[in-house]
Structures are given as structure tokens and as C-alpha cells.
Amino acid sequence: MKKTLALILAALMILTLFAGCSKDEPAAADDTSADTAQTDTDTSETDGDASETGDVFKVAWQHNWSDQWHHQTALVGEMRMEEAFDNVEVTLFDSKGDAGNIVPFLEQLIMEGDWDLCIYGTYSDDSEYIKKLQDTGCNVICYAIEWDFLKGVCSTFVCSEYDLGYLAATRAAELLPENANVVVLRGAEGYSGSILRGEGFADALAERDDITVLDEKFCSFDKAKAMTQMEDWITRFGTDIDGILSENDAMALGAIEALNMAGIDAASLVITGIDALYEGCVAIKEGLIDVSAYQSSDLYAEGFIDRIEKLQSGEVDAYCTDDMVFEAQMVTVDNVDEMIARYEELGMAQ
């Protein structure tokens, strides 16, 4: 009897042990599943963030903040690109007008390795850096200046500097009186833009054989330097000056200040500028500048948008070197109100 009872108790203990194991195993499995599910959720969230980050199209734009046209073009381009795309992020880098900041900028982009488009202007052959940047998947556009050493290396987006000069001087030639005398305010000596604008001036004026260039001087695109130079010309030539051709609006405005100080009515002379920035447009409206040729910031923005579309669709890749040339445009009293309204819309009317 005792033996039988012991066997029954042993059997019950074995059954209890198996029952306990069978209860604990699913619990362990459930815990593992919960941990796995939590891990999957975390991974999914991480993947989602990575995907979202990967979808951002990053544009690095180095420009000279202190130069009014470059500053304006960068702001217009940034605004237009981010309006056109939900996934485009534009970061502006200020070169501070220092060519020494270009290579460190390119090196930074190469090191970071996650940029899709680089927009910048250069003064030296950066071909090796450009190739390294392209190898990271970043397309490169050099804008507003063109160099032979960049042909086939990266894209160049530019408005012809020659055309800007030629267009402004052609209008001057139409307005200048017979046997006119002119003075010419040049930009920066040795700078390709000044060389080409000067060639455009010379070719347009040469279409008339009765125009005499009394003198021309480089004033570094600087208003104050142009004002001082104009004072010298007034001393030398007096009222023999019939026209002033300037390679930018700022220098034309400096010349106008010198004329005002000398008691000479600037509106009686033919004065041209280039850039058609806000102050220049106001001077056109006031009848002080007769014409300004300009390269449209909006046309540049449209060109950048076109490139982004093609890069995102796969029509072109980081190694694309297609160029764009934008048409020079002319601002006179006939269309200056439109330009002024555009500056007011952009908050640049100051």
C-alpha cells in the first residue's frame, strides 16, 4: 500500500514538472517575440529616417555674399528651387570674395560625401577636386564665369559677358549725338568678365565711325573709385564728354555723383550700366541711366531647376557636363517698372 502510494505521488510530481515546463516555454517564446518585435520596430523607424534623409536632394551653393548680384541670384535661386521641389534643400556658403575659400569648400563637400549638386564660381583650375566630388555622386555647375580649363570637366552656366557689354554699348551708340566723345569705366583688370565686356563695348562703338573714346580706366567695379575717376575726367575734358559707358551700375552711379557735384546734369549725357540691380533701375526710372544690360537671376534659377529635374529622374548623372548660356537682356525706361516690381516682390527694393 505504501509502495503504491509512493508511485502515485511520484507520477503526480512528474506530471506537475512537465506542466510547469510547458507553461514556461511559451512565456519565454513570447518574451523573445516581444524583444524581436521591438527590435523590428526600432529598425523600421531607423530605416524610415534613413529613407527620408536619402530622399533629400542636397544643393551646396558657394557665392560671394558681399556682391549684390551674386547675393541676389543665390537668394532667388534658393527660393525658386525649394518652391519647385518638396525634397530639395539648398545650403548657401559665403566665399567672402576670397578665392582662397574655394578649395576648402570643395574639400568639405568631398569629405562629407552626401551632396547631390554643387554650384559655385572659381578663379583657378579645380578639376581634380571636381572629379573627386563627382565620384561621390555630386554634380557640379560653375556659374556666372567660364574658363577653358573647365570645358568638359563640369557644367558652365553663364550669360555671355561679351553680349552684356555689346548690348549696352549698342543702345548707347543709338542715343549718342554725332561726333560724340565718351569715357569708359572698366571693371577689374585681367578679369575675364571685364575683358569680354570691354570687347563688347569696343565692337558696338566701332559700328559708328564718329565716336571717340577719350579715355578708359579700371575702377574694380567700385562706386567710390569710379566717382574719383569721373572727377578727374571732368577736370580734364569738362563738357566735352557726351557719354559714359560703365561695366556695372555701381560705377555708373559713382560717375553720376561726380557729375552732380560738378553741377553737370547727368540726364544730359548718355550713361550705360550693367547688372540692372535695384539702385541702377531706380536711376533708369529717374532718367539718369539710359540702359543697363543684365543677366537674369530667374534664368539662372530655371537652369538649376532643369538640372535638378534631370538628375532626380536619372536623365543625367553626376558626371553631366552640359553647359547653358543665358541671353543678355536690356532694361530701359520702357520696362524698368517691371524690374522694380520684381525687386519689391523679392524684398530687395532698398
Side-chain angles (χ1 to χ4, degrees):
M1 180 67 180
K2 288 180 180 179
K3 185 175 181 179
T4 302
L5 183 60
L7 288 172
I8 292 171
L9 288 172
L12 287 172
M13 288 177 65
I14 291 171
L15 286 173
T16 303
L17 178 63
F18 276 113
C21 288
S22 115
K23 186 183 286 186
D24 289 342
E25 284 176 1
D30 286 345
D31 289 344
T32 303
S33 298
D35 290 342
T36 304
Q38 183 63 43
T39 302
D40 289 343
T41 301
D42 292 343
T43 303
S44 173
E45 287 175 359
T46 302
D47 290 344
D49 291 340
S51 173
E52 184 178 344
T53 302
D55 285 340
V56 174
F57 188 99
K58 295 179 63 178
V59 178
W61 187 333
Q62 186 183 65
H63 73 299
N64 181 4
W65 196 271
S66 63
D67 181 285
Q68 191 176 354
W69 183 84
H70 281 276
H71 178 52
Q72 165 189 305
T73 301
L75 292 182
V76 170
E78 178 186 29
M79 178 185 69
R80 292 283 304 276
M81 285 187 280
E82 291 184 346
E83 284 177 351
F85 303 96
D86 292 333
N87 67 332
V88 169
E89 178 181 278
V90 182
T91 302
L92 301 180
F93 297 83
D94 184 11
S95 71
K96 303 184 185 301
D98 184 353
N101 289 326
I102 291 175
V103 168
F105 163 71
L106 297 175
E107 288 177 331
Q108 177 183 340
L109 302 190
I110 293 166
M111 180 184 66
E112 291 173 356
D114 61 348
W115 295 91
D116 298 291
L117 178 63
C118 168
I119 302 169
Y120 86 116
T122 187
Y123 301 96
S124 59
D125 189 350
D126 306 317
S127 299
E128 291 307 310
Y129 293 96
I130 291 171
K131 291 173 184 175
K132 290 178 182 177
L133 197 48
Q134 291 167 335
D135 288 343
T136 69
C138 182
N139 188 230
V140 180
I141 296 172
C142 179
Y143 82 111
I145 189 170
E146 57 182 328
W147 300 103
D148 289 339
F149 52 71
L150 291 183
K151 293 296 183 184
V153 176
C154 69
S155 295
T156 298
F157 284 17
V158 67
C159 176
S160 167
E161 300 283 358
Y162 174 89
D163 288 352
L164 289 168
Y166 185 82
L167 191 64
T170 296
R171 180 60 178 161
E174 293 172 354
L175 298 174
L176 284 166
E178 188 176 355
N179 300 317
N181 296 315
V182 302
V183 290
V184 182
L185 291 164
R186 304 293 306 279
E189 191 168 9
Y191 168 57
S192 63
S194 283
I195 293 169
L196 293 169
R197 291 180 189 190
E199 290 175 356
F201 282 173
D203 288 349
L205 294 180
E207 294 175 8
R208 279 183 52 177
D209 59 9
D210 64 331
I211 296 176
T212 300
V213 177
L214 297 173
D215 196 10
E216 61 177 55
K217 286 288 190 295
F218 288 97
C219 294
S220 305
F221 296 109
D222 185 79
K223 181 179 179 180
K225 290 181 181 179
M227 181 177 175
T228 299
Q229 182 56 57
M230 192 67 216
E231 289 171 348
D232 177 64
W233 282 335
I234 291 170
T235 300
R236 291 168 57 193
F237 305 118
T239 56
D240 288 340
I241 300 172
D242 300 298
I244 303 167
L245 275 66
S246 173
E247 288 189 4
N248 76 345
D249 292 347
M251 293 189 296
L253 292 168
I256 290 169
E257 287 192 19
L259 291 169
N260 291 338
M261 290 177 62
I264 300 172
D265 181 10
S268 67
L269 279 66
V270 174
I271 302 177
T272 72
I274 291 177
D275 287 337
L277 298 173
Y278 178 70
E279 286 185 309
C281 287
V282 171
I284 291 172
K285 187 173 179 64
E286 293 173 348
L288 301 175
I289 293 179
D290 294 278
V291 60
S292 185
Y294 82 110
Q295 44 186 330
S296 168
S297 299
D298 284 299
L299 288 181
Y300 276 91
E302 289 168 14
F304 298 140
I305 288 170
D306 177 74
R307 175 57 57 86
I308 292 171
E309 288 176 344
K310 290 177 178 176
L311 286 167
Q312 294 206 62
S313 69
E315 183 177 341
V316 301
D317 61 19
Y319 298 96
C320 176
T321 60
D322 294 346
D323 299 327
M324 276 195 177
V325 178
F326 306 114
E327 184 178 352
Q329 300 183 38
M330 186 164 60
V331 179
T332 67
V333 68
D334 295 329
N335 63 346
V336 72
D337 285 341
E338 300 170 16
M339 291 292 295
I340 291 174
R342 177 64 170 143
Y343 286 121
E344 290 172 348
E345 176 188 351
L346 294 169
M348 297 178 181
Q350 53 188 357

